[in-house]
Amino acid sequence: METGDLRKVGLKATLPRLKILEVMQAHREAHLSAEDVYRLLLDEDEDVGLATIYRVLAQFEAAGLVVRRHFEEGHALFELTDIGPHDHLVCVECDYVEEFYDEKLAGRLNEIAAQSEFSIANHTLVIYGSCNRPECPSSKRKNN
Amino acid sequence: METGDLRKVGLKATLPRLKILEVMQAHREAHLSAEDVYRLLLDEDEDVGLATIYRVLAQFEAAGLVVRRHFEEGHALFELTDIGPHDHLVCVECDYVEEFYDEKLAGRLNEIAAQSEFSIANHTLVIYGSCNRPECPSSKRKNN
DNA sequence: ATAGCTGCAAAACCTTTGCAATCAA
DNA sequence: TTGATTGCAAAGGTTTTGCAGCTAT
């Protein structure tokens, strides 16, 4: 059970928290908004208030379980922390998000920091562009 | 005058637009929110409605005069496009911000986007760390 | 038992929009 | 003149908060 995961970070193992954690884990490849989590729980007939989801996600964030991200949209997206370091490609047309990890990039970032006499701790990198997936509006336009 | 800058991109040279452009240019090193622009104009006794600022900044963005960015805050920040592409090093100890542009980095980003079949438009990169400037608390700690 | 948690509804944000008045060309 | 632009206020969408009741320990 994830009950332990919650206790470990000092949170009572309540039903809403367990359910929210479950949903995050069931969609660990996705970037979910509070609203997304809300709907996914409704789909399972789990009736958790939206306010609770916001509160719990904030607690998870404080506990280091999830990270909050702001891409182009007008709302925050959350993802589990345990998937490791990675950056994001975001499609500005359809909000599709892809993750990547690039060794060379990481190396170059360290060199840059070294040149500036910075001790690098971490970074945030988001590349914006148009994905060329068939279902993206940008593709349809090119087909004309 | 900046009147020309506006005409060039097909916008009537109205007072509010001129004033907003002026403020952006007077703070070209900063990242301003719509609210920031609003307050800066108030400070100059220029009374421009907040709604107008949002509208004008959106027009400037469409015209390529400014770029809209979403960092970690819950609101958008705008900066002039003409300062050229650059990224940021931020010291988490003293909030010192340094801008840099790195050719190799840019090249690698393009390669990454190409691999994912993304047409890259732009990106946001912030490196967090400790600067080692003498006036930074992090340096003082090491001197002990 | 009790400190902490939840749901609801209301409030707080940031941003966009409708509309009548105003302005640049 | 006339279409574009503005300011205001109202609406929109996301996130936070106050509070009374509920729950895990």
Side-chain angles (χ1 to χ4, degrees), chain B residues 61-115:
Chain B
E61 185 189 17
L65 256 44
V66 304
V67 185
R68 182 192 305 250
R69 303 206 174 267
H70 293 89
F71 294 121
E72 298 301 283
E73 306 92 359
H75 54 259
L77 298 181
F78 298 83
E79 65 179 343
L80 284 179
T81 308
D82 68 5
I83 58 179
H86 63 273
D87 296 304
H88 299 271
L89 278 158
V90 176
C91 178
V92 296
E93 307 261 356
C94 63
D95 288 339
Y96 169 71
V97 177
E98 188 169 309
E99 301 191 344
F100 69 90
Y101 176 71
D102 188 78
E103 200 68 57
K104 284 187 195 163
L105 183 68
R108 189 64 194 151
L109 290 181
N110 278 314
E111 287 172 22
I112 290 168
Q115 276 172 24

Side-chain angles (χ1 to χ4, degrees), chain A residues 6-17:
Chain A
L6 291 178
R7 291 262 174 62
K8 220 176 297 175
V9 298
L11 293 172
K12 270 192 195 172
T14 64
L15 198 66
R17 296 218 260 242

Side-chain angles (χ1 to χ4, degrees), chain A residues 15-17 19-20 23 37-53:
Chain A
L15 198 66
R17 296 218 260 242
K19 288 300 172 189
I20 292 170
V23 168
V37 175
Y38 180 67
R39 295 203 181 293
L40 286 168
L41 286 177
L42 279 192
D43 291 349
E44 302 177 10
D45 287 312
E46 292 294 343
D47 221 318
V48 179
L50 188 51
T52 298
I53 294 179

Side-chain angles (χ1 to χ4, degrees), chain A residues 50-86:
Chain A
L50 188 51
T52 298
I53 294 179
Y54 275 105
R55 268 185 298 231
V56 169
L57 285 175
Q59 292 158 348
F60 284 4
E61 185 189 17
L65 257 44
V66 304
V67 185
R68 182 193 304 250
R69 306 213 174 259
H70 293 90
F71 298 127
E72 288 290 271
E73 306 92 357
H75 55 257
L77 298 180
F78 298 83
E79 65 180 342
L80 286 178
T81 307
D82 66 7
I83 58 180
H86 61 273

Side-chain angles (χ1 to χ4, degrees), chain B residues 2-131:
Chain B
E2 294 93 346
T3 307
D5 297 338
L6 292 177
R7 293 260 174 64
K8 221 176 296 175
V9 297
L11 293 171
K12 269 192 197 171
T14 65
L15 199 66
R17 295 217 260 242
L18 285 171
K19 288 300 172 188
I20 293 170
L21 187 51
E22 264 176 34
V23 168
M24 295 298 292
Q25 291 176 337
H27 300 264
R28 51 176 60 251
E29 79 295 337
H31 300 83
L32 302 177
S33 67
E35 185 84 26
D36 290 336
V37 175
Y38 180 66
R39 296 206 181 292
L40 287 168
L41 286 177
L42 279 192
D43 290 349
E44 303 178 10
D45 288 311
E46 293 294 342
D47 220 317
V48 179
L50 188 51
T52 299
I53 294 178
Y54 276 105
R55 269 185 298 231
V56 168
L57 285 175
Q59 291 158 349
F60 283 4
E61 185 189 17
L65 256 44
V66 304
V67 185
R68 182 192 305 250
R69 303 206 174 267
H70 293 89
F71 294 121
E72 298 301 283
E73 306 92 359
H75 54 259
L77 298 181
F78 298 83
E79 65 179 343
L80 284 179
T81 308
D82 68 5
I83 58 179
H86 63 273
D87 296 304
H88 299 271
L89 278 158
V90 176
C91 178
V92 296
E93 307 261 356
C94 63
D95 288 339
Y96 169 71
V97 177
E98 188 169 309
E99 301 191 344
F100 69 90
Y101 176 71
D102 188 78
E103 200 68 57
K104 284 187 195 163
L105 183 68
R108 189 64 194 151
L109 290 181
N110 278 314
E111 287 172 22
I112 290 168
Q115 276 172 24
S116 301
E117 302 192 342
F118 259 73
S119 314
I120 184 172
N122 59 52
H123 70 264
T124 302
L125 167 60
V126 185
I127 299 178
Y128 298 97
S130 304
C131 73

